[in-house]
mmCIF file of all heavy atoms in Angstrom:
data_model
loop_
_atom_site.group_PDB
_atom_site.id
_atom_site.type_symbol
_atom_site.label_atom_id
_atom_site.label_comp_id
_atom_site.label_asym_id
_atom_site.label_seq_id
_atom_site.Cartn_x
_atom_site.Cartn_y
_atom_site.Cartn_z
ATOM 1 N N THR A 1199 63.394 6.686 -6.617
ATOM 2 C CA THR A 1199 62.823 7.322 -7.805
ATOM 3 C C THR A 1199 63.436 8.686 -8.107
ATOM 4 O O THR A 1199 63.100 9.300 -9.114
ATOM 5 C CB THR A 1199 61.301 7.497 -7.640
ATOM 6 O OG1 THR A 1199 61.058 8.302 -6.482
ATOM 7 C CG2 THR A 1199 60.619 6.154 -7.487
ATOM 8 N N GLY A 1200 64.337 9.148 -7.268
ATOM 9 C CA GLY A 1200 64.965 10.440 -7.539
ATOM 10 C C GLY A 1200 65.222 11.219 -6.276
ATOM 11 O O GLY A 1200 65.062 10.713 -5.168
ATOM 12 N N CYS A 1201 65.656 12.454 -6.454
ATOM 13 C CA CYS A 1201 65.942 13.331 -5.318
ATOM 14 C C CYS A 1201 64.915 14.461 -5.256
ATOM 15 O O CYS A 1201 64.511 14.982 -6.303
ATOM 16 C CB CYS A 1201 67.355 13.894 -5.409
ATOM 17 S SG CYS A 1201 68.614 12.619 -5.186
ATOM 18 N N TYR A 1202 64.528 14.828 -4.049
ATOM 19 C CA TYR A 1202 63.405 15.726 -3.861
ATOM 20 C C TYR A 1202 63.710 16.733 -2.766
ATOM 21 O O TYR A 1202 64.640 16.566 -1.981
ATOM 22 C CB TYR A 1202 62.155 14.910 -3.483
ATOM 23 C CG TYR A 1202 61.846 13.850 -4.490
ATOM 24 C CD1 TYR A 1202 62.316 12.548 -4.298
ATOM 25 C CD2 TYR A 1202 61.120 14.128 -5.638
ATOM 26 C CE1 TYR A 1202 62.050 11.557 -5.239
ATOM 27 C CE2 TYR A 1202 60.850 13.152 -6.573
ATOM 28 C CZ TYR A 1202 61.315 11.878 -6.365
ATOM 29 O OH TYR A 1202 61.069 10.902 -7.292
ATOM 30 N N ASN A 1203 62.894 17.742 -2.715
ATOM 31 C CA ASN A 1203 63.168 18.867 -1.817
ATOM 32 C C ASN A 1203 62.254 18.924 -0.608
ATOM 33 O O ASN A 1203 61.730 19.991 -0.280
ATOM 34 C CB ASN A 1203 63.107 20.168 -2.610
ATOM 35 C CG ASN A 1203 64.263 20.252 -3.587
ATOM 36 O OD1 ASN A 1203 64.113 19.910 -4.774
ATOM 37 N ND2 ASN A 1203 65.405 20.680 -3.125
ATOM 38 N N TRP A 1204 62.038 17.764 0.038
ATOM 39 C CA TRP A 1204 61.543 17.854 1.397
ATOM 40 C C TRP A 1204 62.774 17.805 2.298
ATOM 41 O O TRP A 1204 63.869 17.453 1.862
ATOM 42 C CB TRP A 1204 60.529 16.743 1.713
ATOM 43 C CG TRP A 1204 61.033 15.358 1.721
ATOM 44 C CD1 TRP A 1204 61.758 14.735 2.695
ATOM 45 C CD2 TRP A 1204 60.819 14.367 0.710
ATOM 46 N NE1 TRP A 1204 62.025 13.430 2.338
ATOM 47 C CE2 TRP A 1204 61.454 13.173 1.139
ATOM 48 C CE3 TRP A 1204 60.155 14.367 -0.510
ATOM 49 C CZ2 TRP A 1204 61.436 12.015 0.396
ATOM 50 C CZ3 TRP A 1204 60.138 13.198 -1.267
ATOM 51 C CH2 TRP A 1204 60.775 12.032 -0.817
ATOM 52 N N PHE A 1205 62.598 18.192 3.570
ATOM 53 C CA PHE A 1205 63.747 18.413 4.436
ATOM 54 C C PHE A 1205 63.799 17.359 5.546
ATOM 55 O O PHE A 1205 62.893 17.266 6.363
ATOM 56 C CB PHE A 1205 63.665 19.811 5.061
ATOM 57 C CG PHE A 1205 63.474 20.907 4.045
ATOM 58 C CD1 PHE A 1205 62.360 21.730 4.094
ATOM 59 C CD2 PHE A 1205 64.399 21.117 3.037
ATOM 60 C CE1 PHE A 1205 62.173 22.741 3.160
ATOM 61 C CE2 PHE A 1205 64.227 22.128 2.097
ATOM 62 C CZ PHE A 1205 63.105 22.939 2.164
ATOM 63 N N ASP A 1206 64.883 16.588 5.528
ATOM 64 C CA ASP A 1206 64.993 15.531 6.518
ATOM 65 C C ASP A 1206 66.407 14.988 6.595
ATOM 66 O O ASP A 1206 66.920 14.451 5.610
ATOM 67 C CB ASP A 1206 64.062 14.367 6.151
ATOM 68 C CG ASP A 1206 64.125 13.226 7.138
ATOM 69 O OD1 ASP A 1206 64.058 13.496 8.357
ATOM 70 O OD2 ASP A 1206 64.235 12.073 6.700
ATOM 71 N N PRO A 1207 67.072 15.146 7.756
ATOM 72 C CA PRO A 1207 66.584 15.825 8.955
ATOM 73 C C PRO A 1207 66.965 17.304 8.940
ATOM 74 O O PRO A 1207 67.500 17.786 7.933
ATOM 75 C CB PRO A 1207 67.315 15.101 10.075
ATOM 76 C CG PRO A 1207 68.639 14.785 9.470
ATOM 77 C CD PRO A 1207 68.366 14.501 8.000
ATOM 78 N N TRP A 1208 66.705 17.949 10.054
ATOM 79 C CA TRP A 1208 67.069 19.344 10.274
ATOM 80 C C TRP A 1208 68.111 19.395 11.384
ATOM 81 O O TRP A 1208 68.128 18.541 12.269
ATOM 82 C CB TRP A 1208 65.865 20.151 10.730
ATOM 83 C CG TRP A 1208 64.690 20.153 9.802
ATOM 84 C CD1 TRP A 1208 64.057 19.068 9.249
ATOM 85 C CD2 TRP A 1208 63.948 21.290 9.359
ATOM 86 N NE1 TRP A 1208 62.981 19.465 8.481
ATOM 87 C CE2 TRP A 1208 62.888 20.832 8.538
ATOM 88 C CE3 TRP A 1208 64.062 22.664 9.576
ATOM 89 C CZ2 TRP A 1208 61.968 21.691 7.929
ATOM 90 C CZ3 TRP A 1208 63.145 23.526 8.975
ATOM 91 C CH2 TRP A 1208 62.116 23.038 8.160
ATOM 92 N N GLY A 1209 68.938 20.428 11.365
ATOM 93 C CA GLY A 1209 69.817 20.669 12.495
ATOM 94 C C GLY A 1209 69.020 21.265 13.647
ATOM 95 O O GLY A 1209 67.810 21.474 13.543
ATOM 96 N N GLN A 1210 69.722 21.567 14.738
ATOM 97 C CA GLN A 1210 69.036 22.097 15.927
ATOM 98 C C GLN A 1210 68.771 23.587 15.824
ATOM 99 O O GLN A 1210 68.000 24.144 16.603
ATOM 100 C CB GLN A 1210 69.845 21.772 17.191
ATOM 101 C CG GLN A 1210 70.891 22.814 17.592
ATOM 102 C CD GLN A 1210 72.086 22.895 16.631
ATOM 103 O OE1 GLN A 1210 72.297 22.020 15.804
ATOM 104 N NE2 GLN A 1210 72.874 23.957 16.763
ATOM 105 N N GLY A 1211 69.414 24.242 14.850
ATOM 106 C CA GLY A 1211 69.187 25.665 14.621
ATOM 107 C C GLY A 1211 70.187 26.556 15.335
ATOM 108 O O GLY A 1211 70.761 26.190 16.363
ATOM 109 N N THR A 1212 70.405 27.733 14.759
ATOM 110 C CA THR A 1212 71.246 28.750 15.378
ATOM 111 C C THR A 1212 70.534 30.089 15.260
ATOM 112 O O THR A 1212 69.994 30.421 14.201
ATOM 113 C CB THR A 1212 72.656 28.791 14.733
ATOM 114 O OG1 THR A 1212 73.499 29.675 15.463
ATOM 115 C CG2 THR A 1212 72.619 29.230 13.277
ATOM 116 N N LEU A 1213 70.507 30.843 16.355
ATOM 117 C CA LEU A 1213 69.737 32.084 16.422
ATOM 118 C C LEU A 1213 70.561 33.260 15.906
ATOM 119 O O LEU A 1213 71.680 33.491 16.364
ATOM 120 C CB LEU A 1213 69.282 32.357 17.850
ATOM 121 C CG LEU A 1213 68.529 33.666 18.093
ATOM 122 C CD1 LEU A 1213 67.231 33.708 17.304
ATOM 123 C CD2 LEU A 1213 68.259 33.846 19.588
ATOM 124 N N VAL A 1214 69.993 33.983 14.964
ATOM 125 C CA VAL A 1214 70.579 35.222 14.464
ATOM 126 C C VAL A 1214 69.678 36.372 14.894
ATOM 127 O O VAL A 1214 68.477 36.362 14.612
ATOM 128 C CB VAL A 1214 70.708 35.187 12.926
ATOM 129 C CG1 VAL A 1214 71.132 36.547 12.384
ATOM 130 C CG2 VAL A 1214 71.679 34.095 12.503
#
Side-chain angles (χ1 to χ4, degrees):
Chain A
T1199 59
C1201 292
Y1202 304 95
N1203 292 96
W1204 66 77
F1205 307 120
D1206 180 47
W1208 302 52
Q1210 89 291 346
T1212 187
L1213 177 62
V1214 172

